[in-house]
Structures are given as C-alpha cells and as structure tokens.
C-alpha cells in the first residue's frame, strides 16, 4: 500500500470503469488496465484533492475553448506559411 484515504487528506485517485467492451473480460485487473484500458475508460480523476474528471467528463478544462484556440493557432501558422506549391 502506498498511502491511505481519510477525511482531510488530499489524494490522487483514478477510477476506471470496467463496463466498456474493451474491458469486458476481467481476469487480472492490473494486466487489463495496462494492456487494454483507454482514456475513455477513465470515469473519475482526483488530483491533489481536486476533481479533474467526473463521470467521464473533464471538469477543469474548457474543451470548446481549447478547440477554438487550437484552430486559431493553426490558422496563424497556415497564414504565415504562405501558398504551398503543388
């Protein structure tokens, strides 16, 4: 055991849902997590006592804003690149 959970402690905890089709055959949970689990299987993440993902949804990031910022950055790169010879 590497630690303990009790009231008042901050914790790092990951809860993985085993209901996905890629995790349906639970024989050795540790091996299954290493070989078959994917980010979509992660239900809940608590880091330093703060919930970062709940019910499979990120709670600390604005995915739409990140997508807009990424598109804006790509548009800037393409504009600076100029025409591409074909």
């Amino acid at each position: 055991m590497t630690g303990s959970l009790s009231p008042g402690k901050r914790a790092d905890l990951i809860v993985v849902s085993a209901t996905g089709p890629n995790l349906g055959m639970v024989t050795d949970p540790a091996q299954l997590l290493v070989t078959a689990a994917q980010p979509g299987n992660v239900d809940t993440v608590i880091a330093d006592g703060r919930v970062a993902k709940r019910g499979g949804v990120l709670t600390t990031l604005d995915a739409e804003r990140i997508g807009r910022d990424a598109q804006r950055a790509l548009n800037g790169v393409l504009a600076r690149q100029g025409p591409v010879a074909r």
Side-chain angles (χ1 to χ4, degrees):
M1 183 162 99
T2 59
S4 63
L5 293 175
S6 60
K9 285 188 174 181
R10 293 187 294 189
D12 293 343
L13 179 70
I14 298 173
V15 177
V16 177
S17 172
T19 61
N22 60 317
L23 300 180
M25 299 300 294
V26 178
T27 54
D28 179 353
Q31 181 180 7
L32 199 62
L33 285 174
V34 171
T35 61
Q38 302 170 6
N41 298 118
V42 177
D43 179 80
T44 303
V45 175
I46 301 172
D48 194 26
R50 293 180 22 225
V51 177
K53 189 173 188 179
R54 178 182 286 129
V57 178
L58 295 172
T59 61
T60 59
L61 299 175
D62 181 344
E64 289 183 18
R65 189 195 61 154
I66 291 169
R68 286 191 307 270
D69 291 349
Q71 186 63 55
R72 190 176 311 115
L74 174 61
N75 291 343
V77 168
L78 294 176
R80 290 188 298 276
Q81 172 186 338
V84 176
R86 295 191 188 252

